[in-house]
Amino acid sequence: MPRATVRAAIVDYLLAASTTTPGLQVVGQVFAHPPLFTSEATFFQNSWSGKSQGALIYVFLEEQFEQRIRLIGNQLGGKMRTYKVKLICFLRSTLVNAQDVDAANDTFLDALVLAIQENRQPGGAGTVFQWGEGDEVGGIDIHVTAGWPRTIRAQIKQVYSVVEVLAIEMNT
């Protein structure tokens, strides 16, 4: 299956989850690829009047591994393909206090992890066999790296975070 199909399944799933998962409503957009420039308005695309936070998620397929899982002669298949998926997240806030912005980022990241845990097969089993489960018992399933709130343009605070998961595709 092409990388584009796996990426699209993840993007579509996260966009849908942003409307149903408490704490993810701050997501303005989920991008399949990191753009060179993102308009400030995109952060708050789904906001209502007075909303103080907005977030963007960029889906980055960093690494891809393939391994044989069964022998089937000269036919296609019998492979497991693993993608190292990095969800690159930016949360922007108009809150003045950095501690409040950090707490808002915690709420956003917790919601994102919950959305991953709630559906192990974004796009269905035919697209992504599983994600957020790691590739070994006792291994790392979901890795979150949260950044430090910093002021940009002297008026808004931004937090950069990364959520890493493995997405596994089965081609049997």
Side-chain angles (χ1 to χ4, degrees):
M1 183 162 307
R3 291 167 57 94
T5 304
V6 171
R7 186 188 305 266
I10 292 170
V11 169
D12 291 346
Y13 173 71
L14 290 175
L15 280 171
S18 73
T19 64
T20 59
T21 305
L24 267 192
Q25 292 89 353
V26 297
V27 174
Q29 186 60 263
V30 179
F31 291 98
H33 301 276
L36 182 61
F37 172 78
T38 304
S39 166
E40 184 74 33
T42 308
F43 279 88
F44 300 94
Q45 185 169 310
N46 296 323
S47 86
W48 53 90
S49 180
K51 187 173 169 185
S52 59
Q53 279 94 235
L56 299 177
I57 301 173
Y58 304 100
V59 177
F60 179 59
L61 301 181
E62 182 180 48
E63 296 177 346
Q64 174 182 328
F65 308 94
E66 282 191 23
Q67 63 189 106
R68 173 100 15 229
I69 55 174
R70 75 183 177 115
L71 299 174
I72 57 174
N74 64 352
Q75 300 172 1
L76 295 176
K79 293 254 191 166
M80 179 174 76
R81 184 176 294 154
T82 304
Y83 300 92
K84 185 175 184 181
V85 180
K86 286 191 174 188
L87 302 175
I88 301 166
C89 307
F90 289 93
L91 178 118
R92 287 195 179 168
S93 178
T94 59
L95 295 171
V96 174
N97 189 323
Q99 290 89 343
D100 294 337
V101 175
D102 194 43
N105 193 57
D106 283 348
T107 299
F108 162 67
L109 291 173
D110 287 344
L112 182 54
V113 168
L114 178 63
I116 294 167
Q117 293 169 336
E118 284 184 337
N119 186 343
R120 299 296 189 197
Q121 296 179 318
T127 305
V128 177
F129 172 73
Q130 73 179 27
W131 79 325
E133 287 288 315
D135 60 351
E136 64 183 358
V137 175
I140 295 173
D141 295 336
I142 300 172
H143 179 207
V144 177
T145 304
W148 189 270
R150 64 182 194 93
T151 303
I152 58 174
R153 290 192 295 284
Q155 59 187 353
I156 199 164
K157 291 191 176 44
Q158 176 174 284
V159 184
Y160 166 79
S161 302
V162 177
V163 176
E164 294 180 50
V165 298
L166 295 179
I168 299 174
E169 170 195 339
M170 302 293 267
N171 186 350
T172 56

